[in-house]
């Protein structure tokens, strides 16, 4: 069921009939030769869901059209990732439990793109102990965390068809990964720390120049044509992620922006913003109003909080302001040296 056709374009019904020129034919033939190797690997299972030219290449998930027709659960899982609001949003077809955003708004192309908050390490690393909860968490728990935080909603029943489908997709997209390993390019890139605090004022200038045209002057986003979700998600306000979401940490937001934004223009191979711009725009966006999340049960061991976790108390003696905006390097260095005060 692994067809080169799936790499090159969506099903025939979704595209116009064309007669390729000889030059186009040659290009497609060369591309097909390369992709045939990937298809063979997928069918053999030796390389899992990553397309690699060598050991150092970045993880990249497979095209959704390669999900076998018989694997209806994983196909439904991908559909839920792409169109979460249609099924689970305020007017959701299956349940009304989330804020109108789609999982894909923060996990680009179904969580398959390098450094774009992808799902490359989910199947290989879960279940796992997480310091935030102080417990061993399953994939189901992690999915519900996203629903409750990034989508500011309520959890799914862990035995529901929707949850089982999302988990099936996570296993499909991470198929073949080495257990316990995080492929290079999975998740979000860690950017070097600035030697100064991230600046919301500078960040506003970046936002107006690079982000506002899609996400709106008030961060309200743009609804899709069907009105079932967002083509461009809100970055603050009542319909955005809440204060417990991963992207509310500056390092996560900055790393995501670096390799993914502006949408359609930037990726890991051609970033459009400097590291400073990424940190500053993260500071601006996360300084705006948004829903609050009760975090009283998070981080039972406060010494394990990330350096950019924006809410105290802390075990290191640095202020909440510095934990929110930086500079973060002194906090990291002090922790390494086991120094409790700056």
């Amino acid at each position: 069921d692994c067809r080169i056709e799936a790499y090159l374009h969506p099903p025939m019904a979704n595209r116009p009939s064309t007669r390729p020129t000889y030059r186009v034919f040659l290009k497609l033939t060369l591309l097909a030769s390369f992709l045939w190797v990937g298809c063979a690997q997928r069918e053999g299972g030796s390389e899992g869901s990553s397309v690699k030219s060598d050991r150092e290449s970045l993880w990249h998930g497979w095209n959704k059209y390669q999900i076998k027709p018989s694997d209806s659960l994983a196909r439904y899982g991908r559909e839920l990732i792409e169109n979460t609001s249609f099924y689970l949003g305020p007017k959701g077809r299956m349940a009304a439990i989330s804020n109108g955003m789609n999982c894909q708004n923060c996990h680009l192309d179904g969580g398959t793109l390098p450094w774009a908050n992808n799902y490359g390490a989910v199947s290989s690393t879960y279940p796992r102990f997480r310091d935030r909860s102080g417990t061993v968490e399953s994939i189901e728990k992690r999915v519900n965390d996203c629903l409750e935080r990034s989508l500011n909603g309520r959890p799914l029943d862990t035995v529901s068809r929707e949850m089982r489908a999302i988990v099936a997709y996570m296993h499909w997209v991470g198929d073949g990964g080495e257990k316990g390993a995080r492929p290079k390019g999975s998740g979000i890139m860690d950017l070097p720390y600035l030697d100064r605090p991230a600046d919301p004022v500078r960040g506003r200038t970046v936002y107006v120049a690079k982000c506002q045209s899609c996400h709106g002057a008030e961060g309200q986003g743009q609804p899709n044509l069907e009105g079932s979700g967002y083509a461009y998600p809100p970055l603050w306000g009542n319909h955005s992620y809440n204060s417990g979401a991963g992207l509310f940490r500056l390092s996560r937001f900055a790393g995501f922006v670096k390799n993914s934004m502006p949408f359609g223009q930037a990726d890991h191979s051609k970033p459009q913003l400097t590291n400073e711009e990424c940190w500053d725009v993260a500071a601006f966006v996360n300084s705006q109003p948004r829903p609050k999340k009760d975090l009283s049960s998070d981080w039972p061991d406060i010494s394990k909080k990330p350096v950019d976790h924006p809410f105290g108390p802390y075990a290191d003696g640095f202020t909440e302001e510095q934990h929110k905006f930086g500079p973060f390097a002194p906090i990291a260095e002090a922790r390494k040296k086991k120094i409790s005060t700056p």
Side-chain angles (χ1 to χ4, degrees):
D1 293 316
C2 181
R3 296 187 175 89
I4 293 171
E5 177 77 11
Y7 282 101
L8 303 179
H9 31 240
M12 294 290 290
N14 296 333
R15 64 186 180 90
S17 175
T18 58
R19 184 174 182 178
T21 64
Y22 182 67
R23 182 176 297 177
V24 171
F25 175 77
L26 285 176
K27 289 181 178 179
L28 292 178
T29 301
L30 289 172
L31 180 59
S33 297
F34 170 75
L35 294 175
W36 179 86
V37 175
C39 284
Q41 291 173 339
R42 175 67 179 179
E43 290 188 331
S46 61
E47 290 295 335
S49 59
S50 58
V51 180
K52 296 181 177 181
S53 58
D54 57 60
R55 283 178 168 266
E56 295 303 311
S57 63
L58 298 180
W59 181 93
H60 192 300
W62 288 81
N63 189 301
K64 67 179 180 180
Y65 298 107
Q66 291 181 276
I67 303 176
K68 295 180 179 180
S70 60
D71 196 350
S72 59
L73 208 56
R75 292 173 72 86
Y76 183 38
R78 172 67 186 236
E79 174 69 12
L80 288 165
I81 296 298
E82 289 185 345
N83 300 293
T84 318
S85 184
F86 177 78
Y87 295 96
L88 303 174
K91 299 179 181 178
R93 180 177 179 180
M94 306 307 297
I97 61 172
S98 64
N99 62 2
M101 290 172 63
N102 297 321
C103 297
Q104 187 166 259
N105 290 144
C106 299
H107 303 276
L108 302 188
D109 196 15
T112 64
L113 301 184
W115 297 128
N117 208 10
N118 62 58
Y119 300 134
V122 174
S123 181
S124 64
T125 60
Y126 280 84
R128 58 176 285 202
F129 181 85
R130 295 189 74 214
D131 289 313
R132 187 169 74 179
S133 65
T135 64
V136 174
E137 296 186 6
S138 62
I139 295 178
E140 290 86 348
K141 172 65 168 67
R142 191 67 182 86
V143 169
N144 274 336
D145 259 4
C146 283
L147 280 167
E148 294 181 76
R149 296 166 185 261
S150 298
L151 300 188
N152 193 37
R154 302 193 307 277
L156 270 173
D157 185 336
T158 57
V159 298
S160 66
R161 181 168 182 262
E162 284 65 41
M163 179 62 83
R164 289 187 293 111
I166 292 172
V167 172
Y169 176 70
M170 297 294 176
H171 286 306
W172 180 86
V173 83
D175 180 36
E178 181 183 351
K179 194 62 180 174
R182 296 185 60 86
K184 183 180 179 182
S186 62
I188 295 176
M189 178 185 286
D190 292 321
L191 296 186
Y193 294 136
L194 300 182
D195 58 5
R196 60 169 175 83
D199 188 341
V201 176
R202 294 183 184 183
R204 185 182 186 281
T205 301
V206 178
Y207 181 84
V208 170
K210 300 292 186 178
C211 316
Q212 181 172 292
S213 61
C214 293
H215 295 284
E218 302 301 322
Q220 74 274 17
Q222 291 186 36
N224 60 26
L225 295 177
E226 297 79 17
S228 60
Y230 288 95
Y232 300 100
L235 297 185
W236 64 85
N238 291 335
H239 302 287
S240 187
Y241 56 89
N242 65 41
S243 59
L247 289 182
F248 195 61
R249 288 174 50 201
L250 292 200
S251 66
R252 302 303 81 203
F253 194 106
F256 177 72
V257 166
K258 179 69 176 181
N259 294 285
S260 306
M261 297 292 141
F263 183 72
Q265 301 176 40
D267 63 24
H268 69 282
S269 65
K270 51 179 189 303
Q272 303 294 304
L273 302 181
T274 66
N275 289 351
E276 284 198 325
E277 288 174 325
C278 292
W279 283 105
D280 288 338
V281 77
F284 169 70
V285 169
N286 283 342
S287 295
Q288 305 308 307
R290 67 186 60 258
K292 305 297 182 186
K293 171 71 174 171
D294 179 6
L295 306 178
S296 59
S297 297
D298 284 6
W299 309 102
D301 180 352
I302 62 173
S303 70
K304 301 298 185 182
K305 288 182 178 181
V307 296
D308 61 335
H309 183 72
F311 303 109
Y314 305 103
D316 53 31
F318 290 85
T319 66
E320 189 168 272
E321 180 79 2
Q322 186 164 351
H323 276 283
K324 185 170 184 178
F325 294 112
F328 300 116
I331 305 175
E333 288 301 316
R335 289 186 179 185
K336 287 180 183 178
K337 297 175 182 177
K338 298 183 179 181
I339 296 176
S340 59
T341 56

